[in-house]
Amino acid sequence: MNIVVQKFGGTSVASLERMQQVMKKVLAARAHGNKLVVVLSAMSGETNKLIALANQFSEEPDPAELDVLVTTGEQISVALFAMLLKDAGVKARSLLGYQVPIETDSDFCRARIVNIDTDRIRAMLEEYDVLVMAGFQGCDCHGRITTLGRGGSDTSGVAIAAALKADTCEIYTDVDGVYTTDPNICSQARKLSRVTYDEMLEMASMGAKVLQIRSVEFAKKYNVPVHVRSTFSDEPGTMVIQEDKSMEAVLVSGIAYDKDQARVTVYDVIDQPGVAAAIFGPLAEDGILVDMIIQNTSREGRTDMTFTIPRADLKKTMRILEGTKVQIGAKDIQYDTGVCKVSVIGVGMRNHSGVAAKAFAALSKENVNILMISTSEIKITCLIEEKYMALAVHTLHEAFELGKNGTNAC
Amino acid sequence: MNIVVQKFGGTSVASLERMQQVMKKVLAARAHGNKLVVVLSAMSGETNKLIALANQFSEEPDPAELDVLVTTGEQISVALFAMLLKDAGVKARSLLGYQVPIETDSDFCRARIVNIDTDRIRAMLEEYDVLVMAGFQGCDCHGRITTLGRGGSDTSGVAIAAALKADTCEIYTDVDGVYTTDPNICSQARKLSRVTYDEMLEMASMGAKVLQIRSVEFAKKYNVPVHVRSTFSDEPGTMVIQEDKSMEAVLVSGIAYDKDQARVTVYDVIDQPGVAAAIFGPLAEDGILVDMIIQNTSREGRTDMTFTIPRADLKKTMRILEGTKVQIGAKDIQYDTGVCKVSVIGVGMRNHSGVAAKAFAALSKENVNILMISTSEIKITCLIEEKYMALAVHTLHEAFELGKNGTNAC
């Protein structure tokens, strides 16, 4: 049997009308003789509503019980959608995490999948034509409900596709693919026909909300081609795939940005082994994601340490730093929220020099001052003043000719 | 270990404030050294909201998927309550139907319990002090979610108490016990300290909403004493128990009524074997609960057939009867919705004559015309015009001196 895995996000199942749209996609794939596993998210807004309810009951809700609570969102989606399918004469049933089972570890609220019983799914697909599976949820070895973390339904879709060795995992969403940059910022943005897992990971880490990071990691690990496309059109979207030779020709795939940033500088700390650990250890313990880190060259045995964090964590970060201030001998701690990150992303960089220089030159020509720089194999990130964000995105998009049809064009 | 089973209804868990009230009851029982199984309903209104959602998606929702949908209501309650308990330092966890497991048959939406794994519950009670169990739900032998029918959380509570051989099942609700009649109709109504399973069954079948019928049947079958009491007071409520000698002294325990009635008469049907089956068979097939049935004496080989049904089923009933009209040779079919049932209930009737005569005399004195009569071992029911309902309840309540303190007084 040929098995197709389709995953639909929260906006795609937000109402009866939206679900009927989803049904068209499912019935079309079914009409081609495929068996389907359809993975659904909670109706948009539901998960947030449930979390708000939990916060009303507890300042720090028990993670295991929070998972019991929030998984009701997907449970509602799959029940309703299975009803629609049955009314349409399709042999279908809903499947909850523990019924598959999607076995995970016991790390509630951010569990990792350890096993999926494909024999059971294949047996069910003999009996049913469509299995409507609740995304985001699994169960641990004791049968307790777990969740895979925010956006985990993407991961559910990719994981089930990997386990069933499906040709593709189709991720249907409210955008029609992955773009060279945010079309809301830059009207020259162009839909990519293909993008590599690594590029997608860099884009996702920069806040591009098309795919959840862990699902891309999963897809990369198991080499599952992911087709990101729109629920509301029949156009092909973007294939997220392993790098192949033809893609090397493309220098840069996209420009990403992240406004949710704050810059923190700790002044005049003692420059000795262990001082970085003393600063960043407590932040890591509290789950604060420190990104770009710059340590100035030492003057008279002292140095400044600058780094970026998500803006939402600023208050917590400052509180923690005030606690370690004496220990690290810092003279002052300052922060700046008027900053943002802009990144140039492309696997082609691996084999080409001069990409960074070209980016810096383009920004400089528009008088955009670069505050910090960090680079990876396939990404160059600049921290700039927030007011230059749109200008920087436009400038870089044009500098690398992303608006023009290249080999990566649709 | 001494195990206490407490069940709380929808109004008792309707909000954070209400749940805090529930927690007081739980902590009090815990303070006495008991281990607890706390069975919760969905927050009041939730189940209806979910059913309305289902009806928006399907005219006749698939029963299995409807169960997947509606069980989210209890799932939300138990997760939130377990959070509260954990925050209060109690070793507690939530338990869903499939996690107990409460094994049922596969008759979705009205499943019957076939087995409860008490070894597993006892093992969990070694680890936890309070298990917060979702009422209303179970799972069949294939692991699919089932529900026990409306009000099924009472049944869950009684079933778990029976399985664990608990001394009592405490059913906490928004009323403080079982009354001699509806206090909203008759201010002389008095709370009963005790009532028998059979009397409770008759009262429940007459629409007294204190306990769900099946839970009382279950309690009777396994001889589980049920203590019906208020979440919002510390007063003792009403014990629902097996009949004992002292109770025989009480002639009548209560007066019940049911306004949700319609009377249907099929005129001039052929009086021959099989005609009753031809009329009532199709109604039973469609799940219509026919109650009082009267067949007039035959005149010239023909007879009239009169019976009562729930008012909500009238339209369906008339449609079915129109279909069988020719077959049974009926000349006419008429109905009347301006009727109601009033019942006198008491196990003492078994050993006393004259109860019926006394009831008829009392009603006659107030000029209340009796349209139909049906009797059981412990109940006398009269169908009367709806406008006399309150008058009849008052009259009967007074005739049997239910307002006075008897052996059954609180």
mmCIF file with all atom_site columns, all heavy atoms in Angstrom, chain A residues 357-378:
data_model
loop_
_atom_site.group_PDB
_atom_site.id
_atom_site.type_symbol
_atom_site.label_atom_id
_atom_site.label_alt_id
_atom_site.label_comp_id
_atom_site.label_asym_id
_atom_site.label_entity_id
_atom_site.label_seq_id
_atom_site.pdbx_PDB_ins_code
_atom_site.Cartn_x
_atom_site.Cartn_y
_atom_site.Cartn_z
_atom_site.occupancy
_atom_site.B_iso_or_equiv
_atom_site.pdbx_formal_charge
_atom_site.auth_seq_id
_atom_site.auth_comp_id
_atom_site.auth_asym_id
_atom_site.auth_atom_id
_atom_site.pdbx_PDB_model_num
ATOM 1   N N   . ALA A 1 357 ? 31.704 39.398 3.045  1.00 0.00 ? 357 ALA A N   1
ATOM 2   C CA  . ALA A 1 357 ? 32.199 40.703 2.598  1.00 0.00 ? 357 ALA A CA  1
ATOM 3   C C   . ALA A 1 357 ? 31.143 41.433 1.780  1.00 0.00 ? 357 ALA A C   1
ATOM 4   O O   . ALA A 1 357 ? 30.904 42.642 1.947  1.00 0.00 ? 357 ALA A O   1
ATOM 5   C CB  . ALA A 1 357 ? 33.467 40.508 1.763  1.00 0.00 ? 357 ALA A CB  1
ATOM 6   N N   . LYS A 1 358 ? 30.460 40.692 0.918  1.00 0.00 ? 358 LYS A N   1
ATOM 7   C CA  . LYS A 1 358 ? 29.421 41.277 0.073  1.00 0.00 ? 358 LYS A CA  1
ATOM 8   C C   . LYS A 1 358 ? 28.265 41.810 0.930  1.00 0.00 ? 358 LYS A C   1
ATOM 9   O O   . LYS A 1 358 ? 27.723 42.893 0.671  1.00 0.00 ? 358 LYS A O   1
ATOM 10  C CB  . LYS A 1 358 ? 28.908 40.217 -0.893 1.00 0.00 ? 358 LYS A CB  1
ATOM 11  C CG  . LYS A 1 358 ? 28.021 40.740 -2.007 1.00 0.00 ? 358 LYS A CG  1
ATOM 12  C CD  . LYS A 1 358 ? 27.759 39.624 -3.009 1.00 0.00 ? 358 LYS A CD  1
ATOM 13  C CE  . LYS A 1 358 ? 26.911 40.110 -4.167 1.00 0.00 ? 358 LYS A CE  1
ATOM 14  N NZ  . LYS A 1 358 ? 26.704 39.022 -5.142 1.00 0.00 ? 358 LYS A NZ  1
ATOM 15  N N   . ALA A 1 359 ? 27.908 41.042 1.959  1.00 0.00 ? 359 ALA A N   1
ATOM 16  C CA  . ALA A 1 359 ? 26.818 41.466 2.838  1.00 0.00 ? 359 ALA A CA  1
ATOM 17  C C   . ALA A 1 359 ? 27.191 42.745 3.596  1.00 0.00 ? 359 ALA A C   1
ATOM 18  O O   . ALA A 1 359 ? 26.415 43.702 3.648  1.00 0.00 ? 359 ALA A O   1
ATOM 19  C CB  . ALA A 1 359 ? 26.483 40.354 3.834  1.00 0.00 ? 359 ALA A CB  1
ATOM 20  N N   . PHE A 1 360 ? 28.415 42.758 4.145  1.00 0.00 ? 360 PHE A N   1
ATOM 21  C CA  . PHE A 1 360 ? 28.853 43.929 4.917  1.00 0.00 ? 360 PHE A CA  1
ATOM 22  C C   . PHE A 1 360 ? 28.910 45.168 4.022  1.00 0.00 ? 360 PHE A C   1
ATOM 23  O O   . PHE A 1 360 ? 28.489 46.256 4.425  1.00 0.00 ? 360 PHE A O   1
ATOM 24  C CB  . PHE A 1 360 ? 30.232 43.686 5.549  1.00 0.00 ? 360 PHE A CB  1
ATOM 25  C CG  . PHE A 1 360 ? 30.280 42.493 6.470  1.00 0.00 ? 360 PHE A CG  1
ATOM 26  C CD1 . PHE A 1 360 ? 31.476 41.813 6.687  1.00 0.00 ? 360 PHE A CD1 1
ATOM 27  C CD2 . PHE A 1 360 ? 29.125 42.047 7.124  1.00 0.00 ? 360 PHE A CD2 1
ATOM 28  C CE1 . PHE A 1 360 ? 31.518 40.706 7.540  1.00 0.00 ? 360 PHE A CE1 1
ATOM 29  C CE2 . PHE A 1 360 ? 29.169 40.937 7.970  1.00 0.00 ? 360 PHE A CE2 1
ATOM 30  C CZ  . PHE A 1 360 ? 30.370 40.263 8.174  1.00 0.00 ? 360 PHE A CZ  1
ATOM 31  N N   . ALA A 1 361 ? 29.401 44.981 2.816  1.00 0.00 ? 361 ALA A N   1
ATOM 32  C CA  . ALA A 1 361 ? 29.518 46.106 1.885  1.00 0.00 ? 361 ALA A CA  1
ATOM 33  C C   . ALA A 1 361 ? 28.144 46.679 1.554  1.00 0.00 ? 361 ALA A C   1
ATOM 34  O O   . ALA A 1 361 ? 27.936 47.900 1.527  1.00 0.00 ? 361 ALA A O   1
ATOM 35  C CB  . ALA A 1 361 ? 30.224 45.641 0.606  1.00 0.00 ? 361 ALA A CB  1
ATOM 36  N N   . ALA A 1 362 ? 27.188 45.774 1.317  1.00 0.00 ? 362 ALA A N   1
ATOM 37  C CA  . ALA A 1 362 ? 25.837 46.226 0.963  1.00 0.00 ? 362 ALA A CA  1
ATOM 38  C C   . ALA A 1 362 ? 25.220 47.029 2.108  1.00 0.00 ? 362 ALA A C   1
ATOM 39  O O   . ALA A 1 362 ? 24.622 48.097 1.891  1.00 0.00 ? 362 ALA A O   1
ATOM 40  C CB  . ALA A 1 362 ? 24.965 45.018 0.612  1.00 0.00 ? 362 ALA A CB  1
ATOM 41  N N   . LEU A 1 363 ? 25.390 46.549 3.310  1.00 0.00 ? 363 LEU A N   1
ATOM 42  C CA  . LEU A 1 363 ? 24.816 47.242 4.468  1.00 0.00 ? 363 LEU A CA  1
ATOM 43  C C   . LEU A 1 363 ? 25.515 48.582 4.688  1.00 0.00 ? 363 LEU A C   1
ATOM 44  O O   . LEU A 1 363 ? 24.858 49.591 4.992  1.00 0.00 ? 363 LEU A O   1
ATOM 45  C CB  . LEU A 1 363 ? 24.936 46.372 5.739  1.00 0.00 ? 363 LEU A CB  1
ATOM 46  C CG  . LEU A 1 363 ? 24.066 45.108 5.764  1.00 0.00 ? 363 LEU A CG  1
ATOM 47  C CD1 . LEU A 1 363 ? 24.350 44.283 7.016  1.00 0.00 ? 363 LEU A CD1 1
ATOM 48  C CD2 . LEU A 1 363 ? 22.579 45.464 5.692  1.00 0.00 ? 363 LEU A CD2 1
ATOM 49  N N   . SER A 1 364 ? 26.796 48.566 4.528  1.00 0.00 ? 364 SER A N   1
ATOM 50  C CA  . SER A 1 364 ? 27.575 49.782 4.734  1.00 0.00 ? 364 SER A CA  1
ATOM 51  C C   . SER A 1 364 ? 27.158 50.868 3.751  1.00 0.00 ? 364 SER A C   1
ATOM 52  O O   . SER A 1 364 ? 27.030 52.048 4.090  1.00 0.00 ? 364 SER A O   1
ATOM 53  C CB  . SER A 1 364 ? 29.056 49.439 4.599  1.00 0.00 ? 364 SER A CB  1
ATOM 54  O OG  . SER A 1 364 ? 29.762 50.499 4.023  1.00 0.00 ? 364 SER A OG  1
ATOM 55  N N   . LYS A 1 365 ? 26.907 50.470 2.505  1.00 0.00 ? 365 LYS A N   1
ATOM 56  C CA  . LYS A 1 365 ? 26.513 51.419 1.463  1.00 0.00 ? 365 LYS A CA  1
ATOM 57  C C   . LYS A 1 365 ? 25.230 52.161 1.853  1.00 0.00 ? 365 LYS A C   1
ATOM 58  O O   . LYS A 1 365 ? 25.007 53.309 1.455  1.00 0.00 ? 365 LYS A O   1
ATOM 59  C CB  . LYS A 1 365 ? 26.290 50.652 0.158  1.00 0.00 ? 365 LYS A CB  1
ATOM 60  C CG  . LYS A 1 365 ? 26.537 51.485 -1.085 1.00 0.00 ? 365 LYS A CG  1
ATOM 61  C CD  . LYS A 1 365 ? 26.425 50.644 -2.339 1.00 0.00 ? 365 LYS A CD  1
ATOM 62  C CE  . LYS A 1 365 ? 25.918 51.484 -3.484 1.00 0.00 ? 365 LYS A CE  1
ATOM 63  N NZ  . LYS A 1 365 ? 25.430 50.661 -4.602 1.00 0.00 ? 365 LYS A NZ  1
ATOM 64  N N   . GLU A 1 366 ? 24.359 51.463 2.648  1.00 0.00 ? 366 GLU A N   1
ATOM 65  C CA  . GLU A 1 366 ? 23.109 52.095 3.095  1.00 0.00 ? 366 GLU A CA  1
ATOM 66  C C   . GLU A 1 366 ? 23.258 52.691 4.494  1.00 0.00 ? 366 GLU A C   1
ATOM 67  O O   . GLU A 1 366 ? 22.263 53.015 5.146  1.00 0.00 ? 366 GLU A O   1
ATOM 68  C CB  . GLU A 1 366 ? 21.975 51.067 3.089  1.00 0.00 ? 366 GLU A CB  1
ATOM 69  C CG  . GLU A 1 366 ? 21.594 50.558 1.712  1.00 0.00 ? 366 GLU A CG  1
ATOM 70  C CD  . GLU A 1 366 ? 20.850 51.610 0.871  1.00 0.00 ? 366 GLU A CD  1
ATOM 71  O OE1 . GLU A 1 366 ? 20.465 52.667 1.431  1.00 0.00 ? 366 GLU A OE1 1
ATOM 72  O OE2 . GLU A 1 366 ? 20.667 51.384 -0.334 1.00 0.00 ? 366 GLU A OE2 1
ATOM 73  N N   . ASN A 1 367 ? 24.532 52.777 4.947  1.00 0.00 ? 367 ASN A N   1
ATOM 74  C CA  . ASN A 1 367 ? 24.806 53.343 6.264  1.00 0.00 ? 367 ASN A CA  1
ATOM 75  C C   . ASN A 1 367 ? 24.171 52.588 7.426  1.00 0.00 ? 367 ASN A C   1
ATOM 76  O O   . ASN A 1 367 ? 23.811 53.181 8.455  1.00 0.00 ? 367 ASN A O   1
ATOM 77  C CB  . ASN A 1 367 ? 24.370 54.811 6.341  1.00 0.00 ? 367 ASN A CB  1
ATOM 78  C CG  . ASN A 1 367 ? 25.331 55.686 5.570  1.00 0.00 ? 367 ASN A CG  1
ATOM 79  O OD1 . ASN A 1 367 ? 26.539 55.479 5.640  1.00 0.00 ? 367 ASN A OD1 1
ATOM 80  N ND2 . ASN A 1 367 ? 24.789 56.637 4.828  1.00 0.00 ? 367 ASN A ND2 1
ATOM 81  N N   . VAL A 1 368 ? 23.989 51.285 7.255  1.00 0.00 ? 368 VAL A N   1
ATOM 82  C CA  . VAL A 1 368 ? 23.478 50.462 8.347  1.00 0.00 ? 368 VAL A CA  1
ATOM 83  C C   . VAL A 1 368 ? 24.670 50.008 9.185  1.00 0.00 ? 368 VAL A C   1
ATOM 84  O O   . VAL A 1 368 ? 25.537 49.279 8.700  1.00 0.00 ? 368 VAL A O   1
ATOM 85  C CB  . VAL A 1 368 ? 22.715 49.230 7.812  1.00 0.00 ? 368 VAL A CB  1
ATOM 86  C CG1 . VAL A 1 368 ? 22.252 48.343 8.984  1.00 0.00 ? 368 VAL A CG1 1
ATOM 87  C CG2 . VAL A 1 368 ? 21.521 49.654 6.962  1.00 0.00 ? 368 VAL A CG2 1
ATOM 88  N N   . ASN A 1 369 ? 24.712 50.451 10.423 1.00 0.00 ? 369 ASN A N   1
ATOM 89  C CA  . ASN A 1 369 ? 25.818 50.104 11.300 1.00 0.00 ? 369 ASN A CA  1
ATOM 90  C C   . ASN A 1 369 ? 25.645 48.694 11.868 1.00 0.00 ? 369 ASN A C   1
ATOM 91  O O   . ASN A 1 369 ? 24.577 48.354 12.366 1.00 0.00 ? 369 ASN A O   1
ATOM 92  C CB  . ASN A 1 369 ? 25.916 51.130 12.430 1.00 0.00 ? 369 ASN A CB  1
ATOM 93  C CG  . ASN A 1 369 ? 27.184 50.943 13.240 1.00 0.00 ? 369 ASN A CG  1
ATOM 94  O OD1 . ASN A 1 369 ? 28.213 50.506 12.689 1.00 0.00 ? 369 ASN A OD1 1
ATOM 95  N ND2 . ASN A 1 369 ? 27.116 51.255 14.527 1.00 0.00 ? 369 ASN A ND2 1
ATOM 96  N N   . ILE A 1 370 ? 26.682 47.884 11.770 1.00 0.00 ? 370 ILE A N   1
ATOM 97  C CA  . ILE A 1 370 ? 26.621 46.524 12.298 1.00 0.00 ? 370 ILE A CA  1
ATOM 98  C C   . ILE A 1 370 ? 27.151 46.524 13.720 1.00 0.00 ? 370 ILE A C   1
ATOM 99  O O   . ILE A 1 370 ? 28.283 46.934 13.981 1.00 0.00 ? 370 ILE A O   1
ATOM 100 C CB  . ILE A 1 370 ? 27.449 45.567 11.414 1.00 0.00 ? 370 ILE A CB  1
ATOM 101 C CG1 . ILE A 1 370 ? 26.885 45.572 9.989  1.00 0.00 ? 370 ILE A CG1 1
ATOM 102 C CG2 . ILE A 1 370 ? 27.428 44.155 11.995 1.00 0.00 ? 370 ILE A CG2 1
ATOM 103 C CD1 . ILE A 1 370 ? 27.750 44.850 8.977  1.00 0.00 ? 370 ILE A CD1 1
ATOM 104 N N   . LEU A 1 371 ? 26.306 46.056 14.687 1.00 0.00 ? 371 LEU A N   1
ATOM 105 C CA  . LEU A 1 371 ? 26.670 46.089 16.100 1.00 0.00 ? 371 LEU A CA  1
ATOM 106 C C   . LEU A 1 371 ? 27.414 44.835 16.526 1.00 0.00 ? 371 LEU A C   1
ATOM 107 O O   . LEU A 1 371 ? 28.315 44.889 17.360 1.00 0.00 ? 371 LEU A O   1
ATOM 108 C CB  . LEU A 1 371 ? 25.404 46.248 16.952 1.00 0.00 ? 371 LEU A CB  1
ATOM 109 C CG  . LEU A 1 371 ? 24.492 47.428 16.586 1.00 0.00 ? 371 LEU A CG  1
ATOM 110 C CD1 . LEU A 1 371 ? 23.202 47.362 17.389 1.00 0.00 ? 371 LEU A CD1 1
ATOM 111 C CD2 . LEU A 1 371 ? 25.212 48.750 16.823 1.00 0.00 ? 371 LEU A CD2 1
ATOM 112 N N   . MET A 1 372 ? 26.995 43.708 15.991 1.00 0.00 ? 372 MET A N   1
ATOM 113 C CA  . MET A 1 372 ? 27.652 42.442 16.312 1.00 0.00 ? 372 MET A CA  1
ATOM 114 C C   . MET A 1 372 ? 27.580 41.552 15.079 1.00 0.00 ? 372 MET A C   1
ATOM 115 O O   . MET A 1 372 ? 26.665 41.686 14.274 1.00 0.00 ? 372 MET A O   1
ATOM 116 C CB  . MET A 1 372 ? 26.935 41.717 17.468 1.00 0.00 ? 372 MET A CB  1
ATOM 117 C CG  . MET A 1 372 ? 27.056 42.390 18.830 1.00 0.00 ? 372 MET A CG  1
ATOM 118 S SD  . MET A 1 372 ? 25.926 41.641 20.053 1.00 0.00 ? 372 MET A SD  1
ATOM 119 C CE  . MET A 1 372 ? 26.881 40.236 20.592 1.00 0.00 ? 372 MET A CE  1
ATOM 120 N N   . ILE A 1 373 ? 28.494 40.616 14.976 1.00 0.00 ? 373 ILE A N   1
ATOM 121 C CA  . ILE A 1 373 ? 28.496 39.674 13.854 1.00 0.00 ? 373 ILE A CA  1
ATOM 122 C C   . ILE A 1 373 ? 28.694 38.270 14.404 1.00 0.00 ? 373 ILE A C   1
ATOM 123 O O   . ILE A 1 373 ? 29.500 38.062 15.310 1.00 0.00 ? 373 ILE A O   1
ATOM 124 C CB  . ILE A 1 373 ? 29.653 39.975 12.873 1.00 0.00 ? 373 ILE A CB  1
ATOM 125 C CG1 . ILE A 1 373 ? 29.480 41.368 12.251 1.00 0.00 ? 373 ILE A CG1 1
ATOM 126 C CG2 . ILE A 1 373 ? 29.761 38.896 11.785 1.00 0.00 ? 373 ILE A CG2 1
ATOM 127 C CD1 . ILE A 1 373 ? 30.703 41.846 11.491 1.00 0.00 ? 373 ILE A CD1 1
ATOM 128 N N   . SER A 1 374 ? 27.930 37.305 13.855 1.00 0.00 ? 374 SER A N   1
ATOM 129 C CA  . SER A 1 374 ? 28.271 35.907 14.144 1.00 0.00 ? 374 SER A CA  1
ATOM 130 C C   . SER A 1 374 ? 28.040 35.111 12.873 1.00 0.00 ? 374 SER A C   1
ATOM 131 O O   . SER A 1 374 ? 27.143 35.424 12.080 1.00 0.00 ? 374 SER A O   1
ATOM 132 C CB  . SER A 1 374 ? 27.438 35.349 15.294 1.00 0.00 ? 374 SER A CB  1
ATOM 133 O OG  . SER A 1 374 ? 26.225 34.837 14.838 1.00 0.00 ? 374 SER A OG  1
ATOM 134 N N   . THR A 1 375 ? 28.856 34.121 12.670 1.00 0.00 ? 375 THR A N   1
ATOM 135 C CA  . THR A 1 375 ? 28.737 33.350 11.431 1.00 0.00 ? 375 THR A CA  1
ATOM 136 C C   . THR A 1 375 ? 28.717 31.864 11.734 1.00 0.00 ? 375 THR A C   1
ATOM 137 O O   . THR A 1 375 ? 29.258 31.412 12.744 1.00 0.00 ? 375 THR A O   1
ATOM 138 C CB  . THR A 1 375 ? 29.930 33.621 10.491 1.00 0.00 ? 375 THR A CB  1
ATOM 139 O OG1 . THR A 1 375 ? 31.128 33.290 11.191 1.00 0.00 ? 375 THR A OG1 1
ATOM 140 C CG2 . THR A 1 375 ? 29.980 35.062 10.070 1.00 0.00 ? 375 THR A CG2 1
ATOM 141 N N   . SER A 1 376 ? 28.045 31.131 10.856 1.00 0.00 ? 376 SER A N   1
ATOM 142 C CA  . SER A 1 376 ? 28.130 29.675 10.891 1.00 0.00 ? 376 SER A CA  1
ATOM 143 C C   . SER A 1 376 ? 28.509 29.247 9.481  1.00 0.00 ? 376 SER A C   1
ATOM 144 O O   . SER A 1 376 ? 28.707 30.091 8.606  1.00 0.00 ? 376 SER A O   1
ATOM 145 C CB  . SER A 1 376 ? 26.793 29.061 11.293 1.00 0.00 ? 376 SER A CB  1
ATOM 146 O OG  . SER A 1 376 ? 25.923 29.049 10.181 1.00 0.00 ? 376 SER A OG  1
ATOM 147 N N   . GLU A 1 377 ? 28.603 27.953 9.260  1.00 0.00 ? 377 GLU A N   1
ATOM 148 C CA  . GLU A 1 377 ? 28.976 27.439 7.940  1.00 0.00 ? 377 GLU A CA  1
ATOM 149 C C   . GLU A 1 377 ? 28.069 27.971 6.843  1.00 0.00 ? 377 GLU A C   1
ATOM 150 O O   . GLU A 1 377 ? 28.518 28.230 5.735  1.00 0.00 ? 377 GLU A O   1
ATOM 151 C CB  . GLU A 1 377 ? 28.863 25.916 7.959  1.00 0.00 ? 377 GLU A CB  1
ATOM 152 C CG  . GLU A 1 377 ? 30.187 25.195 7.931  1.00 0.00 ? 377 GLU A CG  1
ATOM 153 C CD  . GLU A 1 377 ? 29.970 23.752 7.573  1.00 0.00 ? 377 GLU A CD  1
ATOM 154 O OE1 . GLU A 1 377 ? 29.102 23.117 8.203  1.00 0.00 ? 377 GLU A OE1 1
ATOM 155 O OE2 . GLU A 1 377 ? 30.637 23.274 6.648  1.00 0.00 ? 377 GLU A OE2 1
ATOM 156 N N   . ILE A 1 378 ? 26.784 28.109 7.152  1.00 0.00 ? 378 ILE A N   1
ATOM 157 C CA  . ILE A 1 378 ? 25.828 28.461 6.092  1.00 0.00 ? 378 ILE A CA  1
ATOM 158 C C   . ILE A 1 378 ? 25.023 29.710 6.447  1.00 0.00 ? 378 ILE A C   1
ATOM 159 O O   . ILE A 1 378 ? 23.975 29.963 5.880  1.00 0.00 ? 378 ILE A O   1
ATOM 160 C CB  . ILE A 1 378 ? 24.869 27.292 5.785  1.00 0.00 ? 378 ILE A CB  1
ATOM 161 C CG1 . ILE A 1 378 ? 23.992 26.964 7.001  1.00 0.00 ? 378 ILE A CG1 1
ATOM 162 C CG2 . ILE A 1 378 ? 25.640 26.048 5.339  1.00 0.00 ? 378 ILE A CG2 1
ATOM 163 C CD1 . ILE A 1 378 ? 22.796 26.095 6.646  1.00 0.00 ? 378 ILE A CD1 1
#
